Amino acid sequence: MAPLPWMSPGWNSALAQRSGGGVGGRGGFSSPTLPRVNPSPAPSFPLPTPRSYPTYPSPGPPVYIRPVGGSGLDLMALIFIVGIVLVSLSMIRGLQRAGSSSEPESTVARLRLALLHSPQLQSDLRALADMADTESARGLADLIDNAAVRLLREQAAWRFGQYQVWTGSLQKAEGQFDAWMTETRSEYIETYRHFEGKRTAQANYQPKAEPDGRYLLVTLLLAVHGNLPPVPTPLRREGARQALLALATSSPVNTLAAYLAWTPEAPGEALSEADLLAGWPALELL
């Protein structure tokens, strides 16, 4: 019988037994938040009425005198046609520039931040998850903003971090977001989850306290239209701060999906440094 994925070498099954919580949603993919722009009506120009010109008596038939070069009506029609051509050319050039832009259609980013364990921070994250509106783009953008603010206040406790960015088409962005969210959820037992308006909690979970446990791992996951501000590498402390500020630039207009996760979630639990580095070897020392 082939070994299961979580039984492969390098998989720390003890980490998957830790408690964890998560909150978020992905409603922006099904309900685009970009404002709809209605095209303005085409400009109209008043057309002059034809002029009548006086006649003069003569021995022969009457002769009508007209200005050389055509009537005023012909001139205005020509100006109108030239204006339409110029506007059309301008629109075509604008579309060509937009099509050749280097900005990606969508971006998915994930920030992991390992901090010294704080029961107050653990409690604040749970309260933030309880109050979050997970069914609107505004609520998801506020969730990321509030989490970033809370983590920025804990800079003295930052120890390790990791920042990942994916860019690509809107069609593939949801799949990338789901893949990273699924990976994050697999790293612990979900003792609490609030996703798109639905809450679940595991009441009979027994905390597994360790004498040398001292870390809390927080993960922020965000998908947006367009790009996010650049973050320096290697990450270090300043890079982690800029990553939080970059995620906080999300707004109800460009937010597609967001997810906040933390482990351990149950009071009394904390990760040891050995468990932290074994479970997330890509973490950088801040």
Side-chain angles (χ1 to χ4, degrees), residues 187 234 252:
E187 296 165 348

Side-chain angles (χ1 to χ4, degrees), residues 1 13 41 52 61 76 81 107 120 140 145 159 169 175 184 197 238 243 264-265 268 279:
M1 183 177 66
S13 59
S52 59
M76 290 302 296
I81 293 173
T107 301
Q120 184 60 54
L140 296 175
D145 289 348
R159 291 297 182 269
S169 67
T184 300
E238 177 59 24
E265 190 273 330

Side-chain angles (χ1 to χ4, degrees), residues 33 133-146 250-253 255:
T33 55
D133 172 14
T134 59
E135 299 182 86
S136 70
R138 178 175 295 278
L140 296 175
D142 289 344
L143 172 65
I144 295 297
D145 289 348
N146 292 331
S250 62
S251 70
V253 174
T255 298

Side-chain angles (χ1 to χ4, degrees), residues 167-196:
T167 58
S169 67
L170 183 62
Q171 289 76 14
K172 295 182 179 179
E174 185 172 7
Q176 182 61 46
F177 178 87
D178 285 346
W180 275 351
M181 181 173 63
T182 300
E183 182 184 18
T184 300
R185 294 175 60 197
S186 71
E187 296 165 348
Y188 50 74
I189 294 176
E190 287 186 310
T191 51
Y192 174 87
R193 190 168 191 249
H194 178 194
F195 191 73
E196 296 181 352

Side-chain angles (χ1 to χ4, degrees), residues 15 45 89 119 153 164-165 196 215 222 241 249:
L15 286 178
F45 299 94
L89 290 175
R153 292 174 180 165
Q164 299 166 275
V165 177
E196 296 181 352
Y215 289 102
L222 175 69
R241 189 184 74 86
T249 61

Side-chain angles (χ1 to χ4, degrees), residues 117-127 150 154 216:
H117 181 270
S118 163
Q120 184 60 54
L121 175 59
Q122 203 174 26
S123 174
D124 289 349
L125 292 175
R126 174 65 179 266
R150 186 63 185 87
E154 299 287 335
L216 176 70

Side-chain angles (χ1 to χ4, degrees), residues 27-96:
F29 284 108
S30 56
S31 303
T33 55
L34 291 177
R36 181 177 179 180
V37 179
N38 293 322
S40 57
S44 59
F45 299 94
L47 297 178
T49 56
R51 296 180 182 179
S52 59
Y53 299 92
T55 58
Y56 300 91
S58 64
V63 177
Y64 296 92
I65 302 175
R66 296 181 179 273
V68 178
S71 68
L73 177 61
D74 295 336
L75 180 60
M76 290 302 296
L78 179 62
I79 293 174
F80 180 69
I81 293 173
V82 171
I84 291 178
V85 172
L86 292 177
V87 170
S88 300
L89 290 175
S90 177
M91 292 177 63
I92 291 173
R93 291 193 188 101
L95 291 173
Q96 289 175 342

